[in-house]
């Protein structure tokens, strides 16, 4: 495939700093509501976000995770604390998130600091998941080598038997992270690559500075 010929014009209407709420979390909520309302179908997950983490050695990794909560404190997702991402966050809690809503011609980038949520928060979310996902979280030593798929499925079957009719306990190594944001960028694709980019940077507790960046 000739990637150079793949070209799309973004014919969306633009916006300026005055069109976005002073608080970027409020602005996020407005954009997220539009992303959900206008989602192209069940197959698309508007809450999927790329999470980038890195090690002090310089290794950088990105992967998708699902946003499972937003409030004034920040953005929550759930995972295995001993996974690659968990180990990277333990070594360097600075992370980045990115959303792409192609049908709106929008990208949203967030930078911040990740910390584990409370055990009570992880418990509440864990037990809200389907039973199969709860077992799955317990079965998987996420990001660690596995001899075969059969080994995984055998362990799943054993745990299903073991916990039949019982509540599945939250594994010690599983739970939530809260990303406390310190930078946001709202990006709207425009004609001729003259996109709109509005950045918020933290200017102290609950205070944000908003600027327009060149595309
Ligand atoms: C759309 C999508 C959503 C995902 N959501 C999650 C999630 O919320 N939590 C999670 O642990 N992994 C999720 N994954 C799997 C991760 O991308 C990744 O494969 C896994 O967490 C292991 O990453 P790591 O080895 O970098 O820690 C998702 C994958 C996709 C494609």
């Amino acid at each position: 495939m000739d990637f150079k010929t793949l070209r799309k014009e973004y014919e969306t209407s633009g916006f300026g700093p005055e069109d976005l709420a002073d608080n970027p979390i409020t602005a996020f909520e407005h954009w997220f509501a539009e992303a959900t309302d206008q989602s192209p179908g069940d197959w698309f997950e508007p809450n999927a976000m790329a999470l980038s983490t890195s090690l002090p050695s310089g290794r950088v990794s990105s992967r998708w995770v699902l946003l499972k909560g937003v409030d004034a404190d920040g953005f929550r997702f759930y995972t295995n604390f001993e996974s690659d991402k968990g180990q990277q966050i333990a070594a360097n809690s600075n992370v980045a998130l990115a959303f792409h809503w192609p049908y709106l011609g929008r990208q949203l980038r967030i930078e911040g600091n990740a910390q584990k949520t409370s055990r009570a928060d992880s418990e509440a979310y864990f037990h809200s998941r389907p039973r199969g996902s709860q077992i799955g979280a317990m079965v998987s030593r996420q990001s660690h080598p596995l001899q075969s798929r059969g080994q995984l499925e055998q362990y799943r079957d054993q745990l299903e038997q073991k916990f039949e009719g019982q509540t599945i306990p939250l594994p010690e190594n599983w739970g939530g992270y809260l990303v406390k944001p310190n930078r946001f960028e709202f990006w709207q694709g425009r004609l001729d690559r003259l996109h709109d980019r509005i950045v918020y940077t933290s200017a102290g507790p609950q205070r944000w500075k908003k600027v327009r960046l060149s595309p």
Side-chain angles (χ1 to χ4, degrees):
M1 178 178 304
D2 183 358
F3 284 83
K4 291 192 284 296
T5 61
L6 299 177
R7 182 160 293 277
K8 175 173 162 43
E9 277 295 350
Y10 301 107
E11 293 177 29
T12 50
S13 58
F15 71 106
E18 63 289 351
D19 298 317
L20 290 175
D22 286 342
N23 185 309
I25 298 206
T26 309
F28 171 89
E29 285 169 343
H30 290 154
W31 271 34
F32 190 72
E34 288 175 8
T36 307
D37 290 349
Q38 295 179 47
S39 176
D42 286 349
W43 57 269
F44 187 80
E45 294 178 290
N47 60 330
M49 55 188 188
L51 163 73
S52 299
T53 53
S54 65
L55 286 174
S57 67
R59 182 182 164 213
V60 184
S61 310
S62 297
R63 81 289 284 158
W64 295 98
V65 292
L66 294 177
L67 176 67
K68 288 291 172 178
V70 191
D71 59 26
D73 292 332
F75 298 81
R76 278 163 213 259
F77 65 91
Y78 294 83
T79 191
N80 183 306
F81 296 139
E82 290 164 2
S83 64
D84 238 28
K85 74 180 90 47
Q87 294 187 31
Q88 294 196 343
I89 291 170
N92 173 11
S93 60
N94 295 307
V95 303
L97 304 172
F99 295 85
H100 181 207
W101 299 305
Y103 46 97
L104 300 177
R106 285 178 178 174
Q107 168 181 243
L108 211 160
R109 297 167 60 186
I110 297 163
E111 292 173 15
N113 203 268
Q115 52 184 247
K116 285 182 188 171
T117 65
S118 67
R119 186 86 182 151
D121 172 80
S122 297
E123 289 271 2
Y125 176 65
F126 183 77
H127 292 300
S128 76
R129 304 176 86 209
R131 203 173 160 85
S133 306
Q134 295 182 35
I135 293 272
M138 188 173 273
V139 168
S140 171
R141 288 189 68 216
Q142 195 177 50
S143 316
H144 289 75
L146 184 65
Q147 258 170 18
S148 67
R149 181 154 190 107
Q151 194 185 36
L152 192 69
E153 290 174 357
Q154 200 182 359
Y155 189 33
R156 188 228 7 238
D157 295 346
Q158 282 171 8
L159 288 179
E160 266 172 3
Q161 271 187 353
K162 181 174 171 189
F163 292 109
E164 202 180 338
Q166 297 174 43
T167 302
I168 299 160
L170 170 69
E172 283 298 322
N173 62 2
W174 202 93
Y177 284 102
L178 173 73
V179 178
K180 285 180 170 259
N182 53 42
R183 188 181 196 275
F184 288 78
E185 181 189 315
F186 291 74
W187 184 100
Q188 177 75 66
R190 301 286 304 275
L191 214 52
D192 297 330
R193 302 296 190 249
L194 295 179
H195 314 304
D196 288 322
R197 295 176 68 188
I198 308 298
V199 165
Y200 294 74
T201 44
S202 174
Q206 301 301 320
R207 295 188 52 233
W208 296 89
K209 200 173 128 214
K210 232 189 303 181
V211 291
R212 180 187 280 275
L213 294 188
S214 181

